[in-house]
């Protein structure tokens, strides 16, 4: 069209349309750079065990504190089964937008070595956010065993005594930790697997088994009441809730630093700024005096850290148990 001969009415219309086009073009850069606020709505925290246990308790304590910081509700979704791998798969396949988080621990760190048919790698297909907590496992002796110290345990086994120990189940972090201890000290002790720590403690107190290993929180009341003897904890340092029980690191296992630990992860492709925001929120939650009080009441220590530290810790945990898992042919 030749606008040079256009009427004033057409010229005005042309100028209006040109101005509209320029305004829209000017707005586009701003529109493309404006990222939506995070989080967009309720955040789901997937917990790989049923409601009511210690792991679930950690999830709910942290979820409540983080929800307050993020300004959005955090919903705890319990997805149990297959040692936590079902929950892991749920998060691995979730949209990587930070709206779905996973509470995970040693169960997933060792999963790729135990579950040979697993179609994802928990340590590579998830992006760590932060470590949250650690509660050491504690090795205990029944009253009828006559064992009061870890040294006495070693002496009794080496003198030919046939002892048994209970754990909450085959492939659990407690089972693997005790097998690591047996391997290091060359101890021949029969493993008796149970379905949960409560059953282990019942049989230990009654003398049906000589030894046991579970997380220190549920064992604490039995130890304090003198119903069982605490022989050693599996963390690098003594536990604050039971400082009289030595760490196995003090007795030769210098690199042992494991237990019931928990951390946060998101799908692998989650944007770095969202991971950083979640890490910041987790650190703030763990600095709360209320969270510290609730953790310590269950034998847990708050262990915040960077995503890189969480990744390194979980890889080291998996590496520690790799040879034991192979020996046991799990």
């Amino acid at each position: 069209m030749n606008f040079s001969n256009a009427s004033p009415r057409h010229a005005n219309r042309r100028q209006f349309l040109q101005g509209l086009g320029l305004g829209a073009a000017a707005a586009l850069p701003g529109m493309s750079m404006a990222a939506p606020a995070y989080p967009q709505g309720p955040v789901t925290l997937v917990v790989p065990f049923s409601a009511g246990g210690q792991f679930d308790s950690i999830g709910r304590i942290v979820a409540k504190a983080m929800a307050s910081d993020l300004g959005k509700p955090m919903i705890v979704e319990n997805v149990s089964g297959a040692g936590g791998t079902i929950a892991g798969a749920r998060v691995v396949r979730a949209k990587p937008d930070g709206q779905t988080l996973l509470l995970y621990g040693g169960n997933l760190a060792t999963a790729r070595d135990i579950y040979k048919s697993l179609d994802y790698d928990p340590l590579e297909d998830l992006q760590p956010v932060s470590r949250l907590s650690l509660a050491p496992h504690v090795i205990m002796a029944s009253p009828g065993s006559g064992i009061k110290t870890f040294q006495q345990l070693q002496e009794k086994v080496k003198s030919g005594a046939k002892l048994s120990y209970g754990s909450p189940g085959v492939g659990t972090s407690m089972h693997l930790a005790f097998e690591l201890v047996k391997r290091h000290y060359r101890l021949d002790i029969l493993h008796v697997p149970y379905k949960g720590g409560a059953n282990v403690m019942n049989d230990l107190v009654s003398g049906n088994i000589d030894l046991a290993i579970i997380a220190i929180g549920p064992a604490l009341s039995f130890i304090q009441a003198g119903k069982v003897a605490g022989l050693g904890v599996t963390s690098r340092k003594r536990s604050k809730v039971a400082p009289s029980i030595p760490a196995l690191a003090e007795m030769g296992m210098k690199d042992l630093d494991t237990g019931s630990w928990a951390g946060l992860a998101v799908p692998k492709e989650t944007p770095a700024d969202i991971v950083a925001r979640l890490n910041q929120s987790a650190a703030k939650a763990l600095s709360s005096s209320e969270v510290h009080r609730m953790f310590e009441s269950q034998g847990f220590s708050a262990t915040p850290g960077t995503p890189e530290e969480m990744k390194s810790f979980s890889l080291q945990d998996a590496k520690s148990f790799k040879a034991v898992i192979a020996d046991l042919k799990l």
Side-chain angles (χ1 to χ4, degrees):
M1 178 182 290
N2 183 3
F3 287 110
S4 61
N5 297 321
S7 68
R9 181 169 62 84
H10 286 144
N12 289 340
R13 183 168 178 267
R14 182 193 72 212
Q15 291 167 356
F16 172 75
L17 291 172
Q18 286 176 334
L20 186 64
L22 287 171
L28 283 174
M31 290 171 65
S32 63
M33 290 175 65
Y38 173 80
Q40 283 290 289
V43 176
T44 298
L45 177 61
V46 178
V47 174
F49 296 102
S50 56
Q54 274 203 313
F55 216 66
D56 176 67
S57 176
I58 290 170
R60 292 179 188 277
I61 291 167
V62 172
K64 182 179 178 182
M66 286 182 66
S68 177
D69 176 62
L70 293 171
K72 297 290 183 182
M74 188 173 283
I75 300 164
V76 174
E77 179 183 341
N78 297 93
V79 181
S80 59
T85 59
I86 296 174
R90 157 96 166 77
V91 177
V92 163
R93 298 182 178 103
K95 188 176 179 180
D97 57 3
Q99 298 295 138
T100 307
L101 282 64
L102 175 69
L103 183 72
Y104 75 121
N107 56 302
L108 277 183
T110 57
R112 62 181 178 180
D113 293 320
I114 294 176
Y115 298 91
K116 305 298 189 291
S117 61
L118 197 62
D119 62 358
Y120 70 96
D121 186 336
L123 297 182
E124 296 300 330
D125 296 331
L126 289 164
Q127 166 61 51
V129 170
S130 175
R131 191 169 156 198
L132 298 177
S133 64
L134 174 66
H137 303 319
V138 59
I139 295 175
M140 299 161 287
S142 70
S145 69
I147 299 170
K148 300 293 183 182
T149 68
F150 191 77
Q151 287 78 8
Q152 288 177 356
L153 164 61
Q154 291 176 272
E155 290 164 5
K156 197 154 190 173
V157 173
K158 288 176 181 178
S159 69
K162 300 298 181 183
L163 303 178
S164 61
Y165 84 92
S167 85
V170 173
T172 60
S173 59
M174 290 74 119
H175 171 217
L176 298 179
F178 202 104
E179 291 298 322
L180 200 63
V181 170
K182 283 171 54 178
R183 204 168 186 256
H184 180 86
Y185 293 105
R186 299 180 182 179
L187 302 175
D188 183 13
I189 304 172
L190 176 68
H191 177 224
V192 182
Y194 288 81
K195 292 183 178 180
N199 296 328
V200 174
M201 293 309 301
N202 286 339
D203 268 14
L204 183 67
V205 171
S206 62
N208 292 330
I209 49 176
D210 305 297
L211 306 160
I213 181 169
I214 67 169
I216 197 166
L220 200 55
S221 62
F222 294 92
I223 295 169
Q224 291 172 338
K227 294 181 178 180
V228 297
L231 308 183
V233 294
T234 60
S235 52
R236 197 178 299 278
K237 296 179 180 179
R238 297 190 182 204
S239 170
K240 290 180 181 179
V241 297
S244 63
I245 302 176
L248 289 171
E250 299 172 32
M251 299 179 283
M253 292 193 73
K254 294 180 180 179
D255 294 327
L256 186 66
D257 187 22
T258 191
S260 294
W261 58 266
L264 287 178
V266 289
K268 187 176 182 179
E269 302 301 325
T270 303
D273 60 331
I274 292 178
V275 174
R277 177 70 182 93
L278 287 168
N279 178 269
Q280 178 189 54
S281 183
K284 186 174 180 180
L286 295 176
S287 70
S288 158
S289 58
E290 178 67 7
V291 169
H292 270 268
R293 184 188 66 77
M294 295 178 79
F295 270 21
E296 289 182 2
S297 70
Q298 299 183 49
F300 285 93
S301 297
T303 58
T306 66
E308 292 76 21
E309 288 169 340
M310 180 73 252
K311 176 87 169 181
S312 176
F313 177 83
S314 57
L315 286 170
Q316 181 57 46
D317 204 55
K319 182 180 177 182
S320 298
F321 294 122
K322 197 173 185 68
V324 168
I325 291 169
D327 286 349
L328 295 172
K329 297 180 173 58
L330 296 180

